[in-house]
Amino acid sequence: MGSILSTIVDILSQPAILVGLIALIGLLIQKKPSSEVTKGTTKTILGFIVLSAGAGVVSGSLEPFGSMFQQAFGVQGVVPNNEAIISIALEEYGSTAALIMIFGMIANILIARFTNLKYIFLTGHHTFYMAAFLAIILTVGNWSGVPLIVVGSISLGIIMAIFPALAQPTMRKITGNDQVSMGHFGTISYVASSTIGSIFKKKSKSTEEINFPKGLSFLRDSSVSISLTMVIIYIIAALFAGPTFVEAELSGGSNYIVFSVIQGVTFAAGVFIILAGVRLILAEIVPAFKGISEKLVPNSKPALDAPIVFPYAPNAVLIGFFVSFLAGVLGMFILFITGGVVILPGVVPHFFLGATAGVFGNATGGVKGAVIGAAVNGVLITFLPLLFLPYLGELGAASTTFSDTDFLVVGIVLGNIAKFLGEIGVIATLAIVLVGSILLQKRSSNKAINSDNV
């Protein structure tokens, strides 16, 4: 039984396989010819593997930058990183997380089928992270056994339905349609960014309309601008860290300037690969998903990983990352001066959440929205972990924690409710959140319809 469960979790936690299965089911339901089924399924899996490969290239190029940063400023502390905290937690919470994940996905489908929250969360690894996260939070809140699995699964299903719904109004603006939704647990940052951006509506041009002087027109190519920007950032970090450290610890003896140039361009290459993967996925998953939408869960939308929005505003991606990271650095120094736990700027979360926050802020408020929205994200993922650490139990003593805003906010809220209101309080909160989300979704849908009719 354990090996079967492990196999199922392995399949469902792999986004490429999970979305490939969704595409396969959708195409079969539409009774497409075998050639189209084979092509659509294969290209969907290929697209996610390409996207994941790009994300891996980006993450790999950012690791030495993080090491340079810590060496340069001599700061030690807690590094927010989902993968790191999950790897530590799985030994104790692995089986519980697996059960919550499986039943949580079923709950997500049932909610999409019988309510107006028509979002099916397809980012498999984030689903697994949230399942493990809920296992930790509820266990620390003195839940155990079957009640833990039941409440954890229902919580996961609700979370996977309501967060895409919160982001959807801005997703419509970003993509120009209502076919895909956001399936990444940084949604609170993204909604905050778009809300702040709306303050500057019609007062700031889009990041994609930035006018470069003729002599700098080559910067309109996002691959070139990202490459040059990251090369400069890497060289500055290398200079502060010192050539001796870089060449002895990171570059394998290669010249520290050459190493920095290569890493900066490698980062841009990773972004380029991500964009290629996203385009491939969108070309296949949306048509294939219509089969499921029309037959099994009418009018449902696939909620996909954060990079799905990157092609729509490449300049905002770069601005969002850069500004978010700077806000994180500033927050780190404030924590260092005031004493206590220091949250180090995790470069990977600042890239993925900051870049996406930049795109959301740009959609509603142009350059100003992208800059301020990304800065807010940087502040959130720097200071929220301090409030969240007490709810991790023994894991709170680790040198890492969850990095994305949805984990942090849900953890703080559920942790407090479990602590002060007990089991009944948690169940009542879940019911209120679900009903409230259904009512808000109805209101949002009516606004969208009225806007289309104007």
Side-chain angles (χ1 to χ4, degrees):
M1 178 67 183
S3 61
I4 295 174
L5 180 62
S6 177
T7 301
I8 293 173
V9 172
D10 284 344
I11 292 172
L12 297 180
S13 61
Q14 293 295 322
I17 300 300
L18 175 61
V19 180
L21 287 173
I22 295 296
L24 174 64
I25 294 169
L27 292 167
L28 289 175
I29 289 174
Q30 295 179 75
K31 298 180 180 180
K32 295 290 185 180
S34 58
S35 59
E36 289 190 29
V37 172
T38 303
K39 185 191 81 169
T41 304
T42 303
K43 291 183 75 173
T44 300
I45 295 174
L46 175 62
F48 261 89
I49 291 175
V50 170
L51 189 155
S52 299
V57 172
V58 167
S59 299
S61 71
L62 289 175
E63 287 179 6
F65 178 79
S67 300
M68 290 183 204
F69 184 87
Q70 290 189 42
Q71 173 67 19
F73 298 101
V75 179
Q76 298 295 322
V78 175
V79 181
N81 185 283
N82 293 331
E83 288 75 16
I85 189 68
I86 288 296
S87 66
I88 297 172
L90 284 185
E91 183 175 346
E92 182 175 352
Y93 300 98
S95 298
T96 303
L99 290 168
I100 290 176
M101 177 182 179
I102 292 170
F103 291 113
M105 293 182 73
I106 294 173
N108 178 209
I109 293 171
L110 291 174
I111 290 171
R113 177 65 180 84
F114 295 108
T115 76
N116 58 0
L117 299 171
K118 303 294 184 180
Y119 306 96
I120 298 180
F121 200 96
L122 296 180
T123 308
H125 64 293
H126 256 229
T127 301
F128 185 59
Y129 295 167
M130 184 60 80
F133 162 85
L134 289 169
I136 297 167
I137 295 299
L138 293 174
T139 299
V140 172
N142 296 319
W143 290 70
S144 62
V146 174
L148 169 62
I149 303 299
V150 172
V151 172
S153 301
I154 294 173
S155 300
L156 180 59
I158 292 173
I159 287 168
M160 291 197 295
I162 65 173
F163 279 118
L166 290 174
Q168 195 59 19
T170 309
M171 281 294 289
R172 283 193 287 265
K173 294 180 180 179
I174 293 170
T175 64
N177 58 59
D178 202 24
Q179 294 181 325
V180 296
S181 51
M182 175 57 62
H184 188 268
F185 288 129
T187 311
I188 289 172
S189 284
Y190 312 149
V191 172
S193 181
S194 62
T195 301
I196 291 169
S198 63
I199 298 172
F200 305 102
K201 186 178 181 181
K202 298 180 181 180
K203 296 180 182 179
S204 179
K205 63 184 177 183
S206 169
T207 57
E208 310 314 299
E209 297 174 359
I210 295 175
N211 293 319
F212 296 100
K214 288 186 178 180
L216 299 176
S217 59
F218 60 88
L219 292 176
R220 291 178 180 173
D221 186 321
S222 60
S223 296
V224 175
S225 59
I226 291 173
S227 295
L228 294 177
T229 302
M230 293 308 297
V231 165
I232 292 170
I233 291 174
Y234 268 97
I235 289 176
I236 292 173
L239 289 171
F240 275 98
T244 302
F245 172 78
V246 175
E247 293 173 8
E249 302 293 333
L250 302 175
S251 71
S254 298
N255 179 272
Y256 72 109
I257 296 295
V258 173
F259 176 75
S260 299
V261 171
I262 293 299
Q263 292 303 314
V265 178
T266 299
F267 176 94
V271 174
F272 183 86
I273 296 169
I274 287 173
L275 299 181
V278 167
R279 293 186 183 101
L280 191 57
I281 293 166
L282 288 177
E284 300 299 330
I285 190 65
V286 171
F289 201 80
K290 286 182 179 179
I292 294 175
S293 177
E294 292 170 358
K295 299 291 178 66
L296 301 180
V297 187
N299 302 315
S300 60
K301 302 172 185 65
L304 304 173
D305 206 351
I308 208 73
V309 300
F310 288 3
Y312 296 97
N315 289 343
V317 169
L318 184 58
I319 291 170
F321 165 50
F322 187 66
V323 172
S324 178
F325 184 74
L326 286 180
V329 171
L330 180 60
M332 178 198 72
F333 282 117
I334 292 173
L335 293 174
F336 183 73
I337 292 170
T338 56
V341 178
V342 176
I343 304 297
L344 301 182
V347 186
V348 173
H350 275 290
F351 171 67
F352 286 103
L353 271 74
T356 309
V359 175
F360 270 68
N362 176 65
T364 57
V367 175
K368 292 179 181 178
V371 170
I372 299 178
V376 168
N377 171 73
V379 170
L380 288 175
I381 63 176
T382 299
F383 290 97
L384 282 178
L386 290 176
L387 302 175
F388 172 67
L389 283 175
Y391 301 102
L392 275 176
E394 294 180 0
L395 289 175
S399 59
T400 186
T401 185
F402 287 92
S403 60
D404 300 353
T405 44
D406 295 354
F407 293 107
L408 301 171
V409 171
V410 170
I412 293 168
V413 172
L414 271 185
N416 275 296
I417 291 172
K419 180 178 179 180
F420 295 108
L421 300 179
E423 297 179 359
I424 295 177
V426 172
I427 294 171
T429 301
L430 291 174
I432 293 170
V433 168
L434 180 59
V435 172
S437 299
I438 292 171
L439 294 175
L440 286 174
Q441 178 65 16
K442 182 178 181 180
R443 181 181 177 186
S444 176
S445 298
N446 290 336
K447 280 187 176 181
I449 292 171
N450 293 334
S451 177
D452 292 338
N453 291 334
V454 173

